[in-house]
Amino acid sequence: MRVNFTVNGRQQEADDVWEGESLLYVLRERLGLPGSKNACEQGECGSCTVRLDGVPVCSCLVAAGQVEGRDVVTVEGLADFAKQRDEHGHGGACGTGGGCGSKGGVSLDAAKQWRAKPGDSQTGEGAPLSNIQQAFIDAGAVQCGFCTPGLLVQADALLEENSSPSDQDIREALSGNLCRCTGYEKILDAVRLAAARQSEAV
Amino acid sequence: MAQNTRTVPAGTPTNVTQKHTKGGIGESTLRPDGTLKVTGEFAYSSDMWHEDMLWGQTLRSTVAHAEIASIDISEALAMPGVYSVLTYDDLPAEMKNYGLEIQDTPVLANGRVRHHGEPVALVAADHPETARRAAAKIKIDYRELPVVTDEASALAEGAPLIHEGRDDHHSGHVPHPNIVHRQPIIRGNVEEARKRADVIVEGEYTFGMQDQAFLGPESGLAVPSEDGGVDLYVATQWLHSDLKQIAPVLGLPEEKVRMTLSGVGGAFGGREDISMQIHACLLALATNKPVKIVYNRFESFFGHVHRHPAKLYYEHGATKDGKLTHMKCKIVLDGGAYASASPAVVGNASSLSVGPYVIEDVDIEAIALYTNNPPCGAMRGFGAVQACFAYEAQMDKLAAKLGMDPVEFRQLNAMEMGTIMPTGQVVDSPAPVAELLRRVKSRPLPPERQWETAGEGADVRALPGGLSNTTHGEGVVRGVGYAVGIKNVGFSEGFDDYSTARVRLEVINGEPVAMVHTAMAEVGQGGVTVHAQIARTELGVTQVTIHPADTQVGSAGSTSASRQTYMTGGAVKNTCEAVREAVLEIGRRKNGSYHPAWATAELLLEGGKVVTDGGEVLADIAEILEGEDAIDLELEFRHRPTVAFDLKTGQGDGHVQYTFAAHRAVVEVDTELGLVKVVELATAQDVGKALNMLSVVGQIQGGTTQGLGVAIMEEIIVDPKTAKVRNPSFTDYLIPTILDTPTIPVDVLELADPNAPYGLRGMGEAPTLSSTPAVLAAIRQATGLELNKTPIRPEALTGTL
Ligand code: FES
Ligand code: FES
């Protein structure tokens, strides 16, 4: 079947989608947006969290056919989504995420060229980051980073709802997102930091 | 040319404005891969993509122990979209097994399966679902065999032998072929020492099977190359060890198998063994197309080894003034069907079984069994975790029996620098065991009943049971428990452990730029961050690029055993020092005549300049390198040699370095529902020197949480009758969520080890040791129950077992 939907503000069309394919699979393998992660594919870890019409969902549990005509935001579009929200009070429009519209995941050539450059994280250069993305870097909340995309989408949604969450609020909101590396303390720090910066900005 | 364009007239001293190069060691610099990871652009192994690629799928055994009477692949092969189906008969080379130390693991089952989930056949198809469906169509006729599941069934008369006719280097000295390896340690005279004991305690402890449960599933992409070889992009802990095991079974020389590390979503020991690497290569070579394999979570539980479950039998004695007299223990580790890292785990469990205490008279034995349970191998803490769980419970028992404070009792017996280990090895660097305990103990306790919110009743989210809204605080009691542990760093027992680093320094756009190339697996631990810091410190440059890890440079060894910052960090440091010497050589040649300091002073590279130890600037690095070829060096680094433990007495300087951590756990237990909430898990650890405090604290908190997990929730449950795994999913194998994890305040000590680079101490594993027994001790204190088994399940607390 063919599925038409909006991803990070851009109209997308996925062809030959088998009816059992998940939204996660279509994003990763058909649209070239591998940012949403495939850690369990059973709705338990939250690594695949995206926003579907604004609501955070596990994209591994959403059948691709269910998103026909709907609006999806992934981690690739998070910075842009947050920027739009800041400017217009709501999200929307295409994210700048890599490979929009191209088929497949990260091409081998792109992957081969990976270099950990010193500038990237120090300055955030090369990528405009949302508040929560920058906070995750600054607080040291990223280790292997596999949980990070899902946590970012979830935490961003939390802060949209609740600009000064208590620790218990943060724990409750992120309780569906597993992280095996960090022990969560620095993730809490990151959300606190993002909340503080957000309140400073207004 | 360059030497004539000096901006500083010769002989004019200038002060260095920037004494230390920014972003060097000791600073909490941020991850260089952080931006990519938060934007979703970082390429993990499961994200790899190649035009025209196929998907590989493994068919795994549904039974634990069986003869394979027949395999019928015809229906699978006939499915549209299927390109290849492979079984044992299709393996191309004479070598058909692999293994870290003992090559006993079949690439595909050869007429017999020895554990539930063993790979039997492979499929490549154009869609992952097609591959899965085709695999399900392969018909296998299993003739089931009796299963061996524990010590009794493994050593019973007439027990089936898991590996008949084994002839590895341990087979000659083990008392039974179902024992992988045995390590006794005898020191002093336990019978004599026991006579001095006023109290004796015994204990029998059971440690459950823990899983690494890294989030990024086993995955990778194999691309056949024109020379008949293969390029493999994969998440692993040790590229060169994989390569050594992969090439022979493919029948290819090592240079035709080129490996590149792709993004790794956590490891914790679970990627030390081969998983899908060989399978993907076989399919790629068979189809002549790129093949990607990605395990789902279910398969991941079968795709890697687990932490050894263990039975531990301990006896300790002490005098009435609180001095330990002797220790006797037997540690039985279940290694499962294949050896993996079991021999080394045995060495660690035995040599660290006494804990960070002074006991002169010991009688120790550790063994690992071959059984039909899932294979077990490396996991964070590696044999020391199981022992720590048991000896710390024993310390509490002894203290209670003597009427002493459990922390004071530990401090009274704590080892220190100069203590002799049961192996005869002298601890020759700081061992601040008593101090670490003092630090966690002296920290103020978190307020009681934090869930009681003013006015609104209880915040149920803070209670045992959390969001499930199970209690409002009735029947909740608090307990506090302590534990401390000792872990070795690096590969022990005479292993030739080394690491290689290549460093290139050149001028790009007028700026000196360093490139660090190693084969170190960055699995999330932050090695890439500290390598850049080391290069900045040693070379005085700000711009450092970390080259992707691959097999085009020498081995870095494994990202395990807390060794990477020590070993590959050490290699980067050494190589940078050699590069620095080369810079100074050129500087002397070009500029030496301008200033006498070139010939005499101790010269440093700082802030992009050559400076004397007095802070005088002699030249810009860029200026020295102008017009020169890039300096490009590759060197190896080795730690001091170790020796194998004597097979009868266990004596020998087997370890490189020791590392220590202590925990205090505060728990609240709902005694009616059997639910536990860990309120706080304070940690103190000596890291020798923190190269990056942000990363150090993150590692300690992460390791602590894995120890918490095994204390109260994590266990792979294997049916004792069938040896089948019952809970291979995140629905049934639980790891701590953010609601289960307490605040983890961390107190870091930096007592330098004079033998280590920068004085550092490998630190990734130690926090995993003591957090489990600390939580257990706290639950015991809260409930008064004995609790000798991990994980603690509600039934154990409510007496409804
Ligand atoms: S991958 Fe969707 S919840 Fe785990
Ligand atoms: S799972 Fe690795 S950083 Fe969270």
Side-chain angles (χ1 to χ4, degrees):
Chain A
M1 68 180 156
R2 169 177 291 182
V3 184
N4 294 288
F5 61 120
T6 318
V7 185
N8 300 328
R10 184 179 289 187
Q11 190 60 40
Q12 294 282 7
E13 196 177 275
D15 276 323
D16 303 322
V17 175
W18 167 69
E19 57 280 14
E21 278 175 21
S22 64
L23 170 58
L24 178 63
Y25 182 88
V26 169
L27 289 170
R28 290 175 53 79
E29 306 296 342
R30 294 194 182 275
L31 301 183
L33 295 169
S36 310
K37 290 294 163 234
N38 53 331
C40 75
E41 297 175 81
Q42 56 190 182
E44 294 288 358
C45 74
S47 313
C48 62
T49 306
V50 301
R51 301 198 51 179
L52 179 58
D53 290 344
V55 182
V57 296
C58 291
S59 61
C60 69
L61 292 185
V62 176
Q66 283 178 283
V67 302
E68 178 66 37
R70 298 173 75 180
D71 187 42
V72 172
V73 177
T74 72
V75 70
E76 285 98 338
L78 192 62
D80 206 47
F81 179 80
K83 190 162 154 240
Q84 304 267 342
R85 179 175 57 209
D86 291 347
E87 283 166 9
H88 310 295
H90 61 81
C94 181
T96 48
C100 263
S102 70
K103 189 180 182 301
V106 175
S107 82
L108 207 50
D109 285 339
K112 271 184 190 167
Q113 263 150 41
W114 183 80
R115 290 276 194 290
K117 295 196 193 65
D120 289 340
S121 290
Q122 308 298 328
T123 59
E125 95 193 347
L129 299 180
S130 69
N131 182 23
I132 190 73
Q133 286 169 319
Q134 190 62 54
F136 262 61
I137 294 178
D138 294 343
V142 179
Q143 287 185 22
C144 86
F146 211 78
C147 63
T148 306
L151 276 162
L152 289 170
V153 172
Q154 192 73 52
D156 181 68
L158 164 71
L159 293 176
E160 185 180 297
E161 283 281 300
N162 180 352
S163 56
S164 53
S166 70
D167 283 3
Q168 287 302 348
D169 293 339
I170 301 172
R171 287 183 193 276
E172 180 172 357
L174 302 185
S175 62
N177 292 74
L178 297 176
C179 171
R180 188 53 157 170
C181 301
T182 62
Y184 302 107
E185 186 101 49
K186 299 212 172 297
I187 292 171
L188 276 162
D189 287 345
V191 180
R192 291 184 196 119
L193 180 64
R197 284 178 180 166
Q198 188 170 300
S199 71
E200 242 166 55
V202 285
Chain B
M1 281 288 297
Q3 59 264 52
N4 298 327
T5 57
R6 289 179 56 94
T7 48
V8 183
T12 313
T14 29
N15 285 322
V16 187
T17 44
Q18 190 181 17
K19 175 71 181 156
H20 298 289
T21 311
K22 203 165 168 296
I25 62 161
E27 285 181 50
S28 284
T29 55
L30 303 176
R31 301 187 65 95
D33 53 7
T35 301
L36 289 172
K37 284 181 173 177
V38 299
T39 51
E41 285 165 273
F42 187 78
Y44 293 91
S45 55
S46 58
D47 302 334
M48 296 287 141
W49 177 84
H50 199 289
E51 209 163 332
D52 216 16
M53 79 183 183
L54 302 175
W55 292 76
Q57 176 69 38
T58 325
L59 177 70
R60 292 174 179 272
S61 154
T62 52
V63 294
H65 198 196
E67 299 278 350
I68 298 177
S70 65
I71 304 181
D72 179 1
I73 61 166
S74 51
E75 229 182 297
L77 206 49
M79 274 180 67
V82 170
Y83 281 70
S84 178
V85 179
L86 303 177
T87 67
Y88 176 84
D89 293 333
D90 303 304
L91 295 179
E94 208 160 291
M95 185 66 176
K96 297 178 196 304
N97 286 355
Y98 64 90
L100 286 173
E101 187 183 326
I102 301 173
Q103 284 71 47
D104 64 359
T105 314
V107 173
L108 291 168
N110 171 20
R112 179 175 169 195
V113 291
R114 295 181 177 82
H115 69 91
H116 182 203
E118 180 160 349
V120 180
L122 304 170
V123 178
D126 58 6
H127 189 286
E129 188 56 29
T130 310
R132 270 195 283 277
R133 288 179 179 192
K137 288 221 153 64
I138 299 173
K139 290 199 196 72
I140 303 177
D141 184 8
Y142 292 111
R143 307 258 158 88
E144 287 200 51
L145 298 167
V147 289
V148 164
T149 58
D150 56 10
E151 189 181 14
S153 58
L155 306 185
E157 194 144 342
L161 298 186
I162 305 298
H163 296 275
E164 270 162 49
R166 57 181 279 220
D167 64 346
D168 56 83
H169 53 287
H170 296 300
S171 54
H173 71 79
V174 288
H176 190 286
N178 280 343
I179 295 176
V180 187
H181 176 45
R182 171 178 181 269
Q183 181 64 64
I185 301 177
I186 314 285
R187 194 171 175 84
N189 185 332
V190 163
E191 296 315 316
E192 280 303 309
R194 181 191 266 128
K195 293 181 189 150
R196 296 200 312 271
D198 297 308
V199 294
I200 287 180
V201 299
E202 288 176 66
E204 200 181 305
Y205 304 91
T206 307
F207 196 98
M209 185 187 288
Q210 191 184 13
D211 190 73
Q212 297 84 357
F214 42 73
L215 285 200
E218 286 90 342
S219 43
L221 175 69
V223 186
S225 59
E226 273 168 18
D227 64 355
V230 64
D231 290 277
L232 180 63
Y233 302 85
V234 71
T236 177
Q237 286 175 244
W238 187 356
L239 289 165
H240 287 79
S241 156
D242 284 8
L243 178 61
K244 276 210 162 52
Q245 297 171 77
I246 296 169
V249 287
L250 298 179
L252 290 172
E254 283 183 12
E255 50 297 352
K256 285 204 174 178
V257 181
R258 288 155 298 256
M259 298 189 55
T260 305
L261 187 77
S262 51
V264 186
F268 317 115
R271 296 189 208 265
E272 205 157 80
D273 296 71
I274 298 282
S275 59
M276 47 59 64
Q277 287 89 327
I278 300 172
H279 296 159
C281 292
L282 286 169
L283 289 170
L285 292 169
T287 58
N288 202 26
K289 276 172 169 287
V291 175
K292 171 167 162 173
I293 294 184
V294 181
Y295 289 176
N296 60 18
R297 185 52 51 180
F298 178 87
E299 188 170 12
S300 178
F301 275 99
F302 293 101
H304 59 257
V305 299
H306 314 290
R307 188 192 296 292
H308 289 75
K311 286 261 186 204
L312 307 101
Y313 309 88
Y314 265 81
E315 176 189 310
H316 278 92
T319 60
K320 56 181 179 303
D321 53 355
K323 276 286 187 188
L324 288 164
T325 53
H326 71 282
M327 185 278 268
K328 258 178 89 139
C329 74
K330 180 175 176 187
I331 299 175
V332 181
L333 301 153
D334 185 347
Y338 297 106
S340 180
S342 283
V345 172
V346 166
N348 266 19
S350 59
S351 59
L352 301 170
S353 63
V354 82
Y357 302 109
V358 183
I359 309 181
E360 271 148 30
D361 301 272
V362 295
D363 181 349
I364 296 162
E365 180 190 11
I367 60 169
L369 300 168
Y370 274 128
T371 66
N372 294 115
N373 291 325
C376 289
M379 184 176 169
R380 199 176 199 167
F382 204 84
V385 162
Q386 294 90 331
C388 186
F389 166 64
Y391 63 67
E392 285 302 85
Q394 288 282 100
M395 292 302 118
D396 285 339
K397 272 192 191 177
L398 276 170
K401 211 159 177 181
L402 290 164
M404 291 182 72
D405 175 86
V407 171
E408 281 166 28
F409 175 71
R410 285 176 170 84
Q411 287 170 324
L412 196 60
N413 292 286
M415 69 157 51
E416 49 195 22
M417 188 145 106
T419 294
I420 299 172
M421 295 291 289
T423 54
Q425 185 162 15
V426 178
V427 177
D428 62 356
S429 69
V433 178
E435 172 63 10
L436 293 172
L437 283 161
R438 190 191 68 72
R439 287 182 175 229
V440 287
K441 191 181 177 191
S442 59
R443 182 180 280 279
L445 282 164
E448 303 249 2
R449 302 169 82 85
Q450 291 183 72
W451 34 272
E452 272 175 349
T453 58
E456 292 165 52
D459 183 342
V460 293
R461 298 175 298 183
L463 277 161
L467 287 173
S468 9
N469 205 353
T470 44
T471 171
H472 287 78
E474 318 78 1
V476 172
V477 291
R478 175 178 270 209
V480 180
Y482 295 88
V484 58
I486 176 171
K487 176 70 182 60
N488 62 320
V489 172
F491 284 11
S492 301
E493 298 188 61
F495 189 86
D496 179 25
D497 194 9
Y498 70 93
S499 182
T500 318
R502 196 184 132 215
V503 176
R504 183 185 168 92
L505 184 67
E506 63 191 317
V507 176
I508 299 175
N509 298 332
E511 251 215 87
V513 178
M515 196 261 316
V516 177
H517 186 183
T518 74
M520 176 203 67
E522 167 63 48
V523 302
Q525 85 278 19
V528 289
T529 322
V530 297
H531 287 180
Q533 291 178 267
I534 292 171
R536 285 190 202 109
T537 297
E538 299 302 331
L539 296 176
V541 302
T542 342
Q543 293 296 321
V544 182
T545 303
I546 306 294
H547 191 282
D550 56 30
T551 49
Q552 307 304 309
V553 62
S555 175
S558 183
T559 302
S560 61
S562 302
R563 65 179 280 291
Q564 271 307 17
T565 304
Y566 192 124
M567 296 301 297
T568 305
V572 173
K573 174 173 188 274
N574 274 12
T575 311
C576 284
E577 280 165 1
V579 169
R580 183 170 69 209
E581 264 323 299
V583 172
L584 295 177
E585 253 332 292
I586 301 172
R588 284 189 195 106
R589 172 160 54 78
K590 286 183 173 175
N591 295 353
S593 56
Y594 291 111
H595 195 293
W598 278 105
T600 54
E602 185 77 28
L603 299 181
L604 309 166
L605 303 187
E606 262 174 24
K609 299 176 193 317
V610 179
V611 296
T612 67
D613 54 359
E616 211 176 310
V617 174
L618 298 185
D620 282 346
I621 296 173
E623 180 192 331
I624 292 173
L625 294 181
E626 201 58 60
E628 300 284 327
D629 289 339
I631 301 169
D632 198 331
L633 296 173
E634 180 175 324
L635 293 177
E636 281 173 8
F637 172 77
R638 279 178 167 70
H639 57 63
R640 58 179 171 176
T642 59
V643 301
F645 299 128
D646 182 272
L647 283 173
K648 291 202 174 63
T649 64
Q651 299 301 295
D653 289 356
H655 294 311
V656 182
Q657 185 192 49
Y658 297 102
T659 180
F660 308 89
H663 281 93
R664 181 188 69 196
V666 179
V667 304
E668 281 171 355
V669 182
D670 185 321
T671 51
E672 289 163 7
L673 296 165
L675 299 173
V676 176
K677 169 95 186 176
V678 182
V679 177
E680 189 198 76
L681 202 36
T683 313
Q685 184 169 339
D686 176 19
V687 304
K689 160 86 185 163
L691 298 200
N692 184 316
M693 194 59 91
L694 193 66
S695 299
V696 162
V697 171
Q699 283 294 309
I700 294 175
Q701 289 169 335
T704 297
T705 305
Q706 291 188 343
L708 155 71
V710 83
I712 58 172
M713 59 179 74
E714 289 185 39
E715 185 181 18
I716 292 188
I717 298 169
V718 183
D719 188 307
K721 290 204 186 69
T722 61
K724 285 200 197 182
V725 178
R726 281 179 174 164
N727 58 341
S729 73
F730 275 167
T731 314
D732 298 311
Y733 182 92
L734 302 179
I735 66 173
T737 70
I738 195 168
L739 274 171
D740 303 307
T741 308
T743 51
I744 305 172
V746 174
D747 193 348
V748 174
L749 228 70
E750 296 183 77
L751 303 181
D753 176 346
N755 298 305
Y758 302 115
L760 68 81
R761 238 173 242 290
M763 46 71 58
E765 295 177 289
T768 315
L769 268 63
S770 44
S771 100
T772 311
V775 170
L776 264 286
I779 301 173
R780 286 189 200 106
Q781 210 230 15
T783 61
L785 297 167
E786 185 152 338
L787 307 174
N788 289 334
K789 185 179 179 310
T790 70
I792 301 289
R793 301 214 173 270
E795 311 85 275
L797 298 176
T798 53
T800 46
L801 211 48

